[in-house]
């Protein structure tokens, strides 16, 4: 028997918070098909491109993706990633958490002390800054942050704080010092500011920083990311996906131990 747990808004699609299926030794892809076939009529549709799937607490991206074999007594959690926003900000929810991402133009004023001061001003918000070069697009950013949020939930963070975990996953390293060196905030370099907290606090942060924002993901960082992480065309061609680079980057973020 496999237990499927629905988290957040996806519960409305099944009028339940879980489903039990008498199956074993099938791929995650086939399990998803079975789940969708049992969705009640006249319920909200499911965007399978915007869900995070965890198997016994581990992100499926860190396993074999949709080819992962589901075994007897496995717990499969399906978590929706809901997003929205304008060209200058990205907001999305993961479970009950709300996340804001904005890109700030690099200047001499935006440095480590800038981030420290923001944290003091908004103590209830978890804040991290990532060098913009290490973000590809909204799909990449949301999935990497979702991995960190799920790791926090399962108590398997790479570091003591989720803010550090997020930085390490974008840099694809389990060394904090290396993550800071590679993907951390640098003077005169564009950054993506990530904030996790209450909507009211996130709105205040955006209002405060709006004059410094630029259109998020306006620059194509794919060439840099492929070069930095040594991702070859052969590797990308081997990925059965419409977004091979994104999925390879997400996999690198997920497999860190």
């Amino acid at each position: 028997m496999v237990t499927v747990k629905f988290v957040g808004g996806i519960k409305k699609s099944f009028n339940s918070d879980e489903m039990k299926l008498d199956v074993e030794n099938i791929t995650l892809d086939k399990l998803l098909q079975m789940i969708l076939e049992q969705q009640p009529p006249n319920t909200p549709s499911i965007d399978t491109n915007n869900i995070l799937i965890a198997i016994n607490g581990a992100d499926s991206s860190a396993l074999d993706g949709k080819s992962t074999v589901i075994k007897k007594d496995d717990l499969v959690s399906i978590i929706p990633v809901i997003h929205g926003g304008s060209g200058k900000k990205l907001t999305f929810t993961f479970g009950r958490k709300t996340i804001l991402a904005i890109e700030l133009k690099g200047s001499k004023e935006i440095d480590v002390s800038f981030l420290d001061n923001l944290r003091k001003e908004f103590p209830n918000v978890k804040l991290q800054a990532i060098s913009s070069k290490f973000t590809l697009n909204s799909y990449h950013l949301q999935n990497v942050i979702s991995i960190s949020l799920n790791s926090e939930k399962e108590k398997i963070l790479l570091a003591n704080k989720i803010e550090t975990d997020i930085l390490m996953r974008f840099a694809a390293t389990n060394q904090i010092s290396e993550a800071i060196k590679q993907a951390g905030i640098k003077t005169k370099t564009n950054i993506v500011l990530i904030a996790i907290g209450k909507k009211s606090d996130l709105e205040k942060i955006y209002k405060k920083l709006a004059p410094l924002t630029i259109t998020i993901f306006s620059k194509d960082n794919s060439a840099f990311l492929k070069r930095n992480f040594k991702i070859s065309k052969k590797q990308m061609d081997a990925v059965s996906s419409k977004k091979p680079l994104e999925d390879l980057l997400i996999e690198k973020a997920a497999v860190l131990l």
Side-chain angles (χ1 to χ4, degrees):
M1 187 74 70
V2 172
T3 300
V4 181
K5 184 177 181 181
F6 303 121
V7 180
I10 204 167
K11 296 177 186 177
K12 296 179 181 179
S13 297
F14 292 91
N15 298 323
S16 175
D17 58 1
E18 73 172 34
M19 175 188 294
K20 291 188 180 293
L21 297 170
D22 189 14
V23 295
E24 59 181 281
N25 298 322
I26 64 170
T27 64
L28 177 57
D29 189 42
K30 288 185 178 180
L31 181 69
L32 280 174
Q33 291 178 29
M34 292 180 64
I35 293 169
L36 292 174
E37 287 172 359
Q38 296 192 41
Q39 182 180 352
N42 302 317
T43 56
S45 60
I46 300 168
D47 183 359
T48 55
N49 292 319
N50 284 298
I51 57 174
L52 178 74
I53 302 174
I55 301 167
N56 301 322
D59 190 282
S60 59
S61 299
L63 303 173
D64 290 323
K66 290 186 178 180
S67 297
T68 303
V69 176
I70 307 301
K71 300 176 182 178
K72 182 180 179 181
D73 298 327
D74 276 352
L75 172 63
V76 178
S77 301
I78 302 179
I79 308 159
V81 180
I82 305 169
H83 58 87
S86 64
K88 286 198 171 184
K89 69 175 179 177
L90 171 70
T91 58
F92 66 99
T93 60
F94 180 91
R96 296 182 179 180
K97 296 183 182 292
T98 303
I99 301 93
L100 166 71
I102 54 177
E103 187 165 355
L104 305 179
K105 185 174 178 58
S107 68
K108 62 181 181 180
E109 288 80 19
I110 296 181
D111 55 13
V112 175
S113 62
F114 166 83
L115 186 58
D116 289 340
N117 290 334
L118 266 183
R119 286 170 172 162
K120 290 177 183 177
E121 186 175 351
F122 298 95
N124 296 321
V125 178
K126 296 174 181 178
L127 291 156
Q128 185 55 280
I130 308 294
S131 171
S132 295
K133 294 190 298 182
F134 283 80
T135 62
L136 184 57
N137 51 36
S138 61
Y139 177 83
H140 171 226
L141 183 136
Q142 289 177 67
N143 276 277
V144 173
I145 295 174
S146 295
I147 290 169
S148 289
L149 289 168
N150 188 62
S151 296
E152 181 184 45
K153 178 183 176 183
E154 299 296 333
K155 298 181 180 179
I156 52 173
L157 286 171
L158 299 172
N160 291 330
K161 295 182 177 181
I162 189 173
E163 298 95 315
T164 308
D165 185 280
I166 289 171
L167 179 64
M168 294 168 74
R169 292 188 189 277
F170 275 101
T173 176
N174 55 14
Q175 298 295 319
I176 296 175
S177 59
E178 186 64 20
I180 294 171
K181 178 182 176 182
Q182 292 291 325
I185 190 170
K186 295 179 179 65
T187 304
K188 297 183 180 180
T189 300
N190 291 0
I191 63 167
V192 171
L193 182 74
I194 298 163
I196 305 170
K198 294 181 179 179
K199 287 184 179 180
S200 57
D201 286 332
L202 300 186
E203 288 171 359
K204 290 176 183 177
I205 290 174
Y206 181 70
K207 184 176 181 180
K208 176 183 178 68
L209 300 178
L212 304 176
T213 61
I214 58 176
T215 301
I216 193 167
F217 310 124
S218 58
K219 184 176 180 180
D220 182 2
N221 295 316
S222 57
F224 166 79
L225 290 165
K226 284 187 281 189
R227 183 172 64 253
N228 186 75
F229 293 114
K230 297 180 173 59
I231 296 174
S232 66
K233 184 178 184 300
K234 184 177 180 180
Q235 286 176 294
M236 292 179 61
D237 289 342
V239 178
S240 178
S241 165
K242 293 181 180 179
K243 300 178 179 179
L245 179 56
E246 290 91 329
D247 287 334
L248 285 169
L249 292 169
I250 293 164
E251 180 182 12
K252 286 181 178 292
V255 298
L256 294 173
L257 298 175

